Amino acid sequence: MKFTIKRSSFLKSIADVQRAISSRTTIPILTGIKIVANEEGLTLTGSDSDISIETFIPVTDETNALTIEKTGSIVLQARFFSEIVKKLPEETMELEVLDHFQTLITSATASFTINGLDANNYPHLPVIDTNESFTLPVGLFKQVIGQTVIAISTHESRPILTGVNMVIENGQLLAVATDSHRLSQRIIPLEMTEEQASKKYNVIIPGKSLIELARTLVDNSENLEMMVTENQVLFKTENMYFYSRLLEGYYPDTKRLIPDSSSSEVEFNATVLLGAIERASLLSHEGKNNVVKITVNPELVKLSGNSPDVGNVQEEVDYLAVEGEPIELSFNPDYMKDALRTFGQTDIKIKFTSPVRPFILVPSENDQNFIQLITPVRTF
C-alpha cells in the first residue's frame, strides 16, 4: 500500500474514527485504526465493539490531494499514528507499507517507521442489510441529542437508563431519556413512506454513542440516514458510517410520569432564570444538601439557597407571568441548569402540580414537542 495525501484532510478522518477507539479494550487490534486503500480512495475504521466509525476519503475530491499509488491495507496504533500525522512538518505526507507490516510515514525531511498489524485480523463491521432507512435533518437531530442526553443515567446498575429511547411511528420520532430523577423528551416530524408510517420502531441507543455521533456530524451536511436492525443502528452521511449497538430490554413507560395538569404556572425567559439559579447554587454546592428553593405567588417569585457552613442567598426573579396557586418547593439546581440550557434564549413555562410531584419545563410557544421534567427534593 502506498499513497500521498493532504495532511489536514487525513487528520479530520483520523479524529472522527478515533472517537470509537478505547484504550481499555480487551482486543489489542482494536486500539488501532484500520486503513484500506483502493482505486476509489481511503477507508479508515475505528471500533471498540460497541461503537464503530468508518470514514471514506475519495480520490475524486481534489481538496484531499489524494493519490493512491498502490492499493492495500494496514492497522496502525491509533495514539502514536495520530500524533505523528499531527506533527509532520509539511502539508502533504506519504504513507507506504513495507515488508512485515512495517509502515513508513514521510513528510519533507521527516520520516517515521512504525509497526503495523495485518488488517485481515481486524473484526468485521456488522452487516446491516436493511432497506428501512429514515432520513434525519442533521441540525435538528443534533439538537434532539443535545436536549435528551442530559437526562441519561450514569449508573450501570440500570443499564437501560444509560440510553435514549427512540420511537419512530406515525411520521414522527420521539426521543426520551430519564435517570428516574429527571426526564427529557423531544418529538420531531420525519419524512416517511406510507409503509414506514404504518410500522413502529422502538430502539434504545446508548447515550455515549449519541454524544460521539453528535461530535462527528458536521453542521453543513444536510441529511443523515438512520437504519435499524435487531441489535445495531447505523447512521450514514455521505462519507461516514457510524454503527452503534443497541441496549437490550424494555424502556420504562415514561408517559405516565409526565403530569397532564398543573396547579400553578410561571413564565420566564430561560436565560434570565438560568442566571438566577447559577447565583443561588453558588452556596448550595458548598453544603451537604445541594438544593435551591423556589417560592411562587402572584406578587413574587423568589429563589433561595442556604448552606449552614457558608451562608445563604435570596433573589427575586424577573418573571413574565404567574397563574394559579402559590407553591414552594426545593430542587437540585444542577438538574435545573442542565434543563434550562437546552432551551437557549427562548421563553419557557414551568408547570407545578404539588411540592412533592415532578414539575415540567416547556417552551412557551409549543408545549407539546419538548418537555423537561424534574423531581423536587423533599426537604422535610
Side-chain angles (χ1 to χ4, degrees):
M1 179 167 88
K2 186 176 181 182
F3 63 84
T4 54
I5 190 168
K6 187 173 162 189
R7 214 158 48 87
S8 52
S9 304
F10 201 30
L11 271 173
K12 165 82 178 74
S13 282
I14 291 170
D16 283 345
V17 298
Q18 237 181 327
R19 294 186 190 288
I21 298 170
S22 165
S23 56
R24 294 194 298 274
T25 178
T26 51
I27 307 166
I29 201 164
L30 289 185
T31 60
I33 292 176
K34 178 183 171 188
I35 304 169
V36 178
N38 61 21
E39 283 79 10
E40 282 88 55
L42 286 183
T43 303
L44 277 66
T45 309
S47 178
D48 70 353
S49 308
D50 289 344
I51 300 172
S52 303
I53 301 174
E54 185 177 281
T55 63
F56 181 64
I57 305 172
V59 169
T60 50
D61 185 344
E62 289 174 6
T63 58
N64 298 326
L66 173 61
T67 311
I68 309 277
E69 289 185 43
K70 205 178 338 168
T71 60
S73 59
I74 192 73
V75 176
L76 298 174
Q77 183 63 38
R79 198 161 51 86
F80 291 125
F81 181 54
S82 67
E83 286 303 315
I84 289 169
V85 176
K86 268 181 207 160
K87 295 197 164 55
L88 289 174
E90 276 200 351
E91 181 50 5
T92 54
M93 59 169 282
E94 181 182 277
L95 186 145
E96 183 179 6
V97 178
L98 312 169
D99 295 340
H100 310 297
F101 309 113
Q102 294 269 302
T103 302
L104 176 67
I105 301 156
T106 52
S107 174
T109 53
S111 71
F112 288 82
T113 307
I114 58 173
N115 300 325
L117 295 166
D118 185 351
N120 292 322
N121 296 332
Y122 196 88
H124 292 292
L125 293 185
V127 175
I128 295 196
D129 175 26
T130 173
N131 300 321
E132 307 275 354
S133 81
F134 305 98
T135 302
L136 303 165
V138 166
L140 191 56
F141 192 60
K142 277 181 80 168
Q143 192 183 60
V144 170
I145 292 172
Q147 289 170 333
T148 52
V149 294
I150 60 160
I152 59 169
S153 173
T154 51
H155 296 293
E156 293 295 331
S157 54
R158 289 187 71 188
I160 210 84
L161 296 186
T162 62
V164 176
N165 186 201
M166 293 198 180
V167 181
I168 298 169
E169 62 177 334
N170 303 328
Q172 65 178 31
L173 177 142
L174 178 148
V176 64
T178 181
D179 62 3
S180 74
H181 301 291
R182 55 176 162 176
L183 172 147
S184 180
Q185 177 177 293
R186 179 71 199 271
I187 297 169
I188 58 167
L190 284 189
E191 287 181 21
M192 295 168 100
T193 63
E194 272 187 44
E195 188 192 346
Q196 286 178 332
S198 64
K199 296 179 184 173
K200 180 176 180 178
Y201 301 84
N202 191 332
V203 295
I204 305 157
I205 305 174
K208 184 176 76 161
S209 301
L210 289 171
I211 291 166
E212 292 304 343
L213 172 65
R215 286 176 181 153
T216 57
L217 292 174
V218 183
D219 286 336
N220 60 12
S221 50
E222 287 177 12
N223 287 327
L224 175 71
E225 271 187 83
M226 174 179 174
M227 298 177 183
V228 177
T229 61
E230 205 171 314
N231 56 9
Q232 287 277 337
V233 62
L234 166 62
F235 294 97
K236 263 169 78 170
T237 63
E238 189 186 0
N239 288 324
M240 183 186 75
Y241 282 31
F242 185 107
Y243 299 82
S244 170
R245 74 180 175 93
L246 296 171
L247 294 174
E248 291 175 28
Y250 294 98
Y251 206 79
D253 177 14
T254 52
K255 284 195 199 77
R256 57 187 179 79
L257 301 173
I258 300 168
D260 47 15
S261 62
S262 61
S263 60
S264 39
E265 271 184 34
V266 195
E267 192 171 352
F268 294 98
N269 175 277
T271 315
V272 170
L273 182 59
L274 175 61
I277 289 171
E278 282 176 335
R279 288 185 289 277
S281 64
L282 285 172
L283 300 187
S284 67
H285 273 160
E286 293 298 318
K288 292 184 178 67
N289 55 343
N290 181 23
V291 294
V292 165
K293 188 158 76 175
I294 187 166
T295 306
V296 175
N297 60 48
E299 294 79 48
L300 170 92
V301 175
K302 185 177 79 174
L303 288 175
S304 53
N306 177 28
S307 167
D309 309 332
V310 186
N312 59 57
V313 54
Q314 291 198 9
E315 180 171 346
E316 287 184 26
V317 188
D318 285 338
Y319 59 89
L320 303 171
V322 171
E323 281 176 37
E325 301 163 15
I327 192 164
E328 187 173 273
L329 57 80
S330 298
F331 57 85
N332 178 322
D334 295 339
Y335 293 170
M336 195 71 148
K337 287 185 285 192
D338 287 345
L340 286 167
R341 286 186 190 115
T342 63
F343 289 99
Q345 304 285 338
T346 51
D347 292 345
I348 59 153
K349 282 182 182 168
I350 303 185
K351 302 184 180 187
F352 300 100
T353 48
S354 89
V356 292
R357 296 279 313 282
F359 58 91
I360 60 170
L361 293 77
V362 291
S364 296
E365 294 293 308
N366 177 350
D367 63 0
Q368 295 302 306
N369 291 343
F370 183 32
I371 295 170
Q372 294 277 4
L373 174 146
I374 295 173
T375 305
V377 176
R378 295 189 185 213
T379 54
F380 49 84

